[in-house]
Amino acid sequence: MTETTAEPDFEVIVIGAGIAGCVTAYQLARQGRSVLLIERGEAPGSKNLSGGVLYSRGIQQVFPGFLTEAPVERRITRNYISFLNTDSAVAIDYRDARLADPVNAVTVLRAKLDPWLAERCEEAGAVIMPGVRVDRVLTENGPAGMRVLGVRAGDDELRAHVVVAADGVNSFIAKEAGLRKQEPLNHLAVGVKSVVSLPRETIEARFNLTGNEGAAIAAVGDCTEGVGGGGFLYTNIDSISVGIVVRLDDLTAKKKVVTDIFDHFLAHQFIAPYLEGGELLEYGCHLVAEGGLHMIGEIAMDGMVVVGDAAGLTLNTGLTVRGMDLAVGSAVAAAEAIGDALDRKDSSGASLARYRQKLFASYVGQDMKTYAKAPSFLEIERMYKQYGELFANVLYGAFNLDTQPRQHLFKVARKSLGQSPLKVRQLVRDGIAGARAL
């Protein structure tokens, strides 16, 4: 379907001034397009407690001066992955100078980053409309089905050749347009997060950091009281972001209260020392996508595309949790496809389908395919209790020198496995599943 005869108010309207929305608007404005970026908060970032580890190579391609100009916190050179038990912890502490040059990942606070991105959009020529809630999309029915024409916000109607839904994981815009259905509970998680203020010197001493180095801790096991998910902690310049993410299906099945799990994590004997003496600055909850590749449905139709979290683009492999870099990649792909469609004066679904092609040709789609089995692997309940306890018992047998004759580690491991509810066939099956998933 080609364009209708009515002249639009803008060529493109982007809903949501997060990372995906801002990068899409910026790229299109740089093409010389007329772009409106709508944000329901009083200002971009004003309603956003989120943040995290941003794998930054993609966004550096969009903004070459990103590392020196943007409000980044620290450059991650230490990744600490831990199985937490009630009285023990088994961890991999991976530090590597190669992650600092070139910079691989940085920590960001979205309340700082999003306004910076919005400023870049304005400089490129986009119009930003903050404090506006989009009530619905404007549509019409045609021979090829429903077409999106623009948006309604209060009493105002604004029309565009293309609308971009960048309104987050619970995107009501994508749902209203029929591009997203109600997700099963195992495709969603709930995150609880706090930002805790601490002096810069204290953070660097506790995490053994210097300069702008940063650390990211990921934990599973007792930190979520056995509920599928994990805890995280990462360093900012003068604060620590700490939280948990737990699957909704497992949370419901185990009849747990997410805030109680969060409090348990904060009080855990291996986590509390990092936070001691800190001042709580922010606290909040939000939905998180957990479905991986299976959560990506239709992302383009006549007159509309969906980007970032709204398209289900979050990837948790257990080692890395990615969302922001995928949002950047999807925004770049969307802006290219929209630009091509506008050049052809054809914003039909068939024309905008090039967005999906570009997305899956990029690292975003390729990585989603590579780790397509990761979500189901991370649903294995044994990951959140028995494995951590088994690893700790094996190491206890190795390090507990009690004046008794020592045994080879293989015998220690076999004895520990015999005392564990885990069976050899489960270890083999889980090992194969992990190799295929990761």
Side-chain angles (χ1 to χ4, degrees):
M1 179 187 294
T2 56
E3 301 296 346
T4 58
T5 56
E7 186 67 24
D9 300 289
F10 296 88
E11 289 180 280
V12 184
I13 294 175
V14 181
I15 306 169
I19 291 178
C22 282
V23 173
T24 304
Y26 174 79
Q27 294 282 78
L28 287 165
R30 292 259 298 175
Q31 295 176 18
R33 314 295 180 182
S34 61
V35 181
L36 174 65
L37 177 58
I38 300 177
E39 166 57 36
R40 67 185 178 92
E42 294 181 4
S46 63
K47 300 179 70 65
N48 203 335
L49 171 65
S50 185
V53 177
L54 168 59
Y55 295 93
S56 56
R57 304 280 174 83
I59 202 167
Q60 289 178 62
Q61 293 177 356
V62 178
F63 304 103
F66 180 79
L67 293 176
T68 56
E69 298 170 8
V72 300
E73 296 293 310
R74 290 182 179 271
R75 303 181 180 190
I76 297 299
T77 56
R78 179 188 181 194
N79 291 275
Y80 188 90
I81 303 160
S82 177
F83 284 88
L84 288 186
N85 307 310
T86 303
D87 298 310
S88 61
V90 179
I92 298 173
D93 190 356
Y94 170 55
R95 305 189 66 161
D96 199 323
R98 292 174 296 180
L99 295 177
D101 186 18
V103 174
N104 176 65
V106 295
T107 52
V108 297
L109 295 169
R110 294 286 297 280
K112 297 180 180 180
L113 178 61
D114 289 6
W116 184 87
L117 291 172
E119 289 176 6
R120 304 291 80 73
C121 292
E122 285 188 306
E123 291 173 357
V127 176
I128 298 181
M129 187 181 291
V132 174
R133 175 186 172 88
V134 173
D135 298 312
R136 64 181 181 88
V137 290
L138 303 175
T139 62
E140 69 174 7
N141 291 319
M146 188 172 72
R147 176 183 179 81
V148 174
L149 302 174
V151 302
R152 175 184 285 276
D155 296 329
D156 296 324
E157 291 187 353
L158 298 166
R159 295 175 179 264
H161 292 306
V162 181
V163 171
V164 179
D167 53 332
V169 64
N170 202 29
S171 174
F172 79 91
I173 294 295
K175 289 178 181 177
E176 182 187 15
L179 292 180
R180 288 281 298 276
K181 296 181 174 63
Q182 186 64 37
E183 296 290 342
L185 290 184
N186 67 322
H187 281 188
L188 296 170
V190 59
V192 184
K193 174 186 172 184
S194 288
V195 178
V196 178
S197 174
L198 280 169
R200 177 172 186 158
E201 296 78 11
T202 301
I203 292 173
E204 291 170 0
R206 288 182 182 177
F207 290 87
N208 191 23
L209 305 171
T210 58
N212 58 8
E213 288 181 335
I217 294 177
V220 298
D222 187 60
C223 55
T224 57
E225 298 184 305
V227 176
F232 63 85
L233 187 154
Y234 56 83
T235 57
N236 305 311
I237 293 174
D238 53 8
S239 66
I240 293 175
S241 295
V242 57
I244 60 165
V245 177
V246 290
R247 289 199 335 264
L248 278 178
D249 63 326
D250 208 25
L251 183 71
T252 303
K254 291 185 169 65
K255 298 180 179 180
K256 296 280 189 177
V257 178
V258 67
T259 51
D260 291 344
I261 296 176
F262 180 59
D263 291 341
H264 173 78
F265 179 53
L266 296 183
H268 198 285
Q269 61 176 314
F270 295 107
I271 299 298
Y274 290 116
L275 307 171
E276 185 178 356
E279 177 186 356
L280 179 65
L281 298 178
E282 295 177 340
Y283 178 94
C285 302
H286 63 98
L287 280 177
V288 179
E290 284 284 313
L293 180 66
H294 301 294
M295 198 166 173
I296 304 174
E298 294 298 325
I299 55 176
M301 62 180 292
D302 285 356
M304 192 170 89
V305 302
V306 188
V307 296
D309 281 355
L313 293 171
T314 303
L315 185 56
N316 179 6
T317 69
L319 298 176
T320 60
V321 179
R322 298 167 56 189
M324 290 183 286
D325 69 309
L326 304 181
V328 172
S330 72
V332 171
E336 290 177 355
I338 293 169
D340 292 344
L342 293 174
D343 285 340
R344 293 190 303 273
K345 301 185 184 303
D346 178 9
S347 58
S348 66
S351 178
L352 292 172
R354 297 188 183 189
Y355 162 44
R356 189 181 192 92
Q357 296 171 3
K358 291 177 180 291
L359 180 71
F360 278 91
S362 73
Y363 68 89
V364 177
Q366 292 299 307
D367 287 358
M368 296 297 284
K369 288 181 179 179
T370 296
Y371 298 110
K373 295 180 180 179
S376 59
F377 174 68
L378 295 176
E379 289 180 9
I380 298 174
E381 189 170 358
R382 297 181 289 274
M383 296 282 295
Y384 303 101
K385 182 172 174 64
Q386 287 94 338
Y387 275 110
E389 293 175 346
L390 174 62
F391 296 155
N393 288 338
V394 172
L395 292 175
Y396 179 75
F399 284 94
N400 178 38
L401 303 183
D402 56 2
T403 73
Q404 297 299 311
R406 295 293 88 201
Q407 294 181 324
H408 286 293
L409 188 61
F410 177 78
K411 290 186 177 180
V412 174
R414 189 171 61 182
K415 180 180 179 181
S416 297
L417 180 59
Q419 296 170 342
S420 169
L422 289 168
K423 305 302 180 185
V424 172
R425 65 178 181 276
Q426 292 175 326
L427 265 68
V428 173
R429 186 164 62 243
D430 294 344
I432 294 173
R436 289 174 174 173
L438 307 180

